[in-house]
């Protein structure tokens, strides 16, 4: 589990689902097609902030997917 301020965060299955839905929503807002947004949202190794920074810097989505995925 990820650490927050040195503490380990324990998420319930319900919390995990909420986080995944929120991440999917953010990725859809960045312009990712639903299928890619769903796949990336479920992966905790994908840094959402890095992904957003790349998109906002003008990277096309195909390039972003190659970088983060």
């Amino acid at each position: 589990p990820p650490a927050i301020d040195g503490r380990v965060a324990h998420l319930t299955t319900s919390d995990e689902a909420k986080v995944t839905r929120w991440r999917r929503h953010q990725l859809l807002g960045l312009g990712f097609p639903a299928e890619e947004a769903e796949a990336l949202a479920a992966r905790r190794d994908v840094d959402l902030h890095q992904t957003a920074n790349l998109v906002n810097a003008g990277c096309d989505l195909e390039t972003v997917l190659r970088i983060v995925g």
Side-chain angles (χ1 to χ4, degrees):
I4 299 173
D5 297 330
R7 296 169 297 173
V8 176
H10 295 283
L11 298 177
T12 65
T13 302
S14 174
D15 291 337
E16 282 284 345
K18 289 176 187 174
V19 170
T20 299
R21 281 194 304 272
W22 178 83
R23 287 171 55 90
R24 181 179 183 276
H25 178 77
Q26 299 302 308
L27 290 159
L28 289 170
L30 290 170
F32 285 93
E35 186 175 312
E36 281 86 359
E38 188 71 35
L40 289 175
R43 291 184 48 199
R44 295 300 183 257
D45 63 318
V46 172
D47 184 326
L48 188 58
H49 295 283
Q50 177 191 30
T51 303
N53 288 340
L54 289 167
V55 172
N56 293 330
C59 262
D60 62 89
L61 298 181
E62 186 175 313
T63 301
V64 174
L65 287 171
R66 283 198 313 268
I67 293 169
V68 302

